[in-house]
Amino acid sequence: MCAMKGVNRRQFIAGSTILTGAAMLPWSGNVAAAVSSATDASGSPRKGGVLRISVDQAAGMLNPQQARVNPEYLLAELLYSGLTRLTQDMKAEADLAESWKASDDLTQWTFTLRKNLSFHDGSACTSADVVASLNAILDPKNASPGQHNIGPIKTVTAPDATTVVIGTDGPYADLPVMLAYPDAKIIPAAIAGGQPERLSKEAIGTGPFKLVSFDPERLIVVERNPHYYDPSRPHLDRVEVVVYPDAIAEGSALIAGDTDLMLSAASTEFARLSKSSGIVPLRVSSGQFLNVNMGCDTKPFNDVRVRQALALCVDRKATVDFVAEGYGTAGNDTPLNTAYPYYLNEPLKEPDYAKAKALLKDAGYPDGLDLTLIASDKPSTRTQLGIALREMAKPGGFRINVQTMAHSTYLDQVWKKGNFYVGFYNMQPTPDAVFSLLYTSTASWNETRWNNTEFDTAVKAARETADPAKRTELYGKAQKLMHDDVPSLIPAFFDLLAAGRDYVAGYQLHPRGAVFRLDHVWLTAKAPTRK
């Protein structure tokens, strides 16, 4: 493992109280990505039972079109449905839409809904609800994260009660996949058209489960929807989502059998869980990453030389070791890695402190630069990355003060507003999705305010062609622009880690990080009985 200039790994970890080393797993090779076997001993899923799944932060948002973090995505998926949903290999499969087809030029898509769909309150779900829901997501005044992430939609119409026609601004091959975006859930037209505040207190969806109780800081309970469109699912009677803000307490609850499944496991806990009796460790490669966002429209980061200098201070392989505990891969300042198609395999940036100092001097900072980096406390790896960057950047002339704050405060005061902070993002289903979420000028989460016209043009052109060779060229150009211009540092990608009891069946850890598919999960005969 690479060492940083002037400090080796042992010294670095010993000198940083935030970075506590964890023993690596006592085995190597592929790690289980699914809990239990595909079927129970009977050869088919068992009906009934209560699954207790733990999360590490509150699901503070009940409105599915406003969901922002994984526990909220989980809740939205339990209670609501979209037109499509994602399979384990990032492909679109039928949800409320049983089929779809595109025009030859990929600018018009026709979706056919399942018949006899109903919301939890018993009212019918028709194409009118789909039209109203998608229009609500696309309406800027609603500020849904899905606005720029469900595709370049121009029109949404309903020729009849079970048909939805979507027109796009240009050819767009990814629409069925993008309509599986976590926020693209269908709600009643009456609510979408003027009563969205109702969804802050109640849930009226078509999902596999119905809301029983909502205590976002402690416990959320849902029960099987008997009128779900697929009568064979869900298998569980009830799901209880339990909030454990402390990672050690969360892991201990799983080991003790107080919970059955962890939504995610901290790398520092993963080794302990993996060695515990009755626990199945879950690990899958992913495009999930932390980044350090820099406000490219504000001093000092409006000078590309400052951003490039900071990038030259990062030992990327060491970052994987320090921050991801070895459960990940090095990043090269673009949001794509080998988990994505069209990945551009550029040589990995290496630390060059002399060049970093020279760039800072040319930018007008011959004596170095003082900065304050903000990091949310969720997940804790944000602060770990901040501390690592602070130490790595010292020899390059950067003096970084790392300030950690509560995640709720971060969302209110820093996210999309700050000038220098640590972000955290799940893998997206396509390259266009991650670029359009974070880095194009019109991105809904345009945190860096980089606003590079050449980049925007390349991403748009790639979006509008189905030719793989042309897409490779265009997405390669977009990645090269990011690699060189550094609107944000992306030094590491994380494997996704979780764990479950060995009686939980049918669950697969999804590389997207925001997809859970608990309607496919059941409990074997070994599971404890809960009422």
Side-chain angles (χ1 to χ4, degrees), residues 22-289:
M24 297 300 290
L25 293 177
W27 33 259
S28 60
N30 294 329
V31 184
V35 176
S36 194
S37 59
T39 59
D40 194 13
S42 64
S44 61
R46 296 175 73 244
K47 283 285 187 182
V50 178
L51 178 79
R52 301 200 92 197
I53 181 170
S54 65
V55 298
D56 63 1
Q57 59 183 296
M61 186 69 65
L62 194 53
N63 185 335
Q65 297 187 350
Q66 299 292 330
R68 304 161 297 176
V69 294
N70 281 355
E72 294 170 0
Y73 295 148
L74 170 64
L75 195 57
E77 186 181 293
L78 292 172
L79 299 170
Y80 294 87
S81 304
L83 282 177
T84 61
R85 62 191 300 189
L86 280 184
T87 64
Q88 193 70 16
D89 58 355
M90 298 288 186
K91 295 179 180 177
E93 71 173 2
D95 201 3
L96 295 182
E98 64 180 7
S99 63
W100 53 87
K101 60 183 179 180
S103 61
D104 291 340
D105 64 356
L106 299 177
T107 62
Q108 182 171 289
W109 291 79
T110 301
F111 293 82
T112 300
L113 302 184
R114 301 175 189 273
K115 294 178 175 59
N116 301 318
L117 294 170
S118 63
F119 288 105
H120 294 158
D121 63 358
S123 62
C125 174
T126 71
S127 58
D129 300 295
V130 175
V131 171
S133 296
L134 295 183
N135 282 333
I137 293 169
L138 295 169
D139 190 339
K141 78 173 187 291
N142 292 327
S144 170
Q147 180 187 352
H148 298 291
N149 299 298
I150 59 174
I153 295 175
K154 185 177 181 180
T155 58
V156 188
T157 57
D160 58 52
T162 58
T163 306
V164 177
V165 179
I166 298 177
T168 58
D169 283 332
Y172 191 63
D174 294 333
L175 186 65
V177 173
M178 295 315 299
L179 287 172
Y181 189 77
D183 293 73
K185 298 296 189 282
I186 305 307
I187 60 178
I191 293 177
Q195 299 176 308
E197 65 279 358
R198 287 182 59 184
L199 297 186
S200 64
K201 299 178 181 179
E202 58 183 320
I204 307 175
T206 58
F209 295 90
K210 300 171 61 175
L211 185 66
V212 174
S213 62
F214 180 62
D215 182 350
E217 300 289 341
R218 189 181 69 86
L219 176 67
I220 302 162
V221 179
V222 301
E223 64 182 6
R224 180 195 288 126
N225 173 14
H227 304 297
Y228 188 52
Y229 65 73
D230 183 349
S232 69
R233 292 184 285 118
H235 309 303
L236 300 163
D237 287 334
R238 192 165 77 243
V239 175
E240 298 178 357
V241 182
V242 190
V243 182
Y244 281 90
D246 180 77
I248 295 176
E250 184 179 11
S252 296
L254 183 68
I255 293 170
D258 295 332
T259 59
D260 309 307
L261 186 64
M262 291 177 67
L263 192 71
S264 63
S267 57
T268 50
E269 277 291 288
F270 192 63
R272 178 169 78 111
L273 293 167
S274 300
K275 293 182 287 187
S276 299
S277 176
I279 302 294
V280 178
L282 307 175
R283 179 180 176 185
V284 66
S285 297
S286 175
Q288 184 187 84
F289 64 90

Side-chain angles (χ1 to χ4, degrees), residues 310-332:
L310 189 58
L312 288 172
C313 294
V314 180
D315 186 326
R316 287 138 201 286
K317 293 179 181 178
T319 301
V320 174
D321 193 17
F322 297 143
V323 181
E325 301 290 339
Y327 303 120
T329 55
N332 217 14

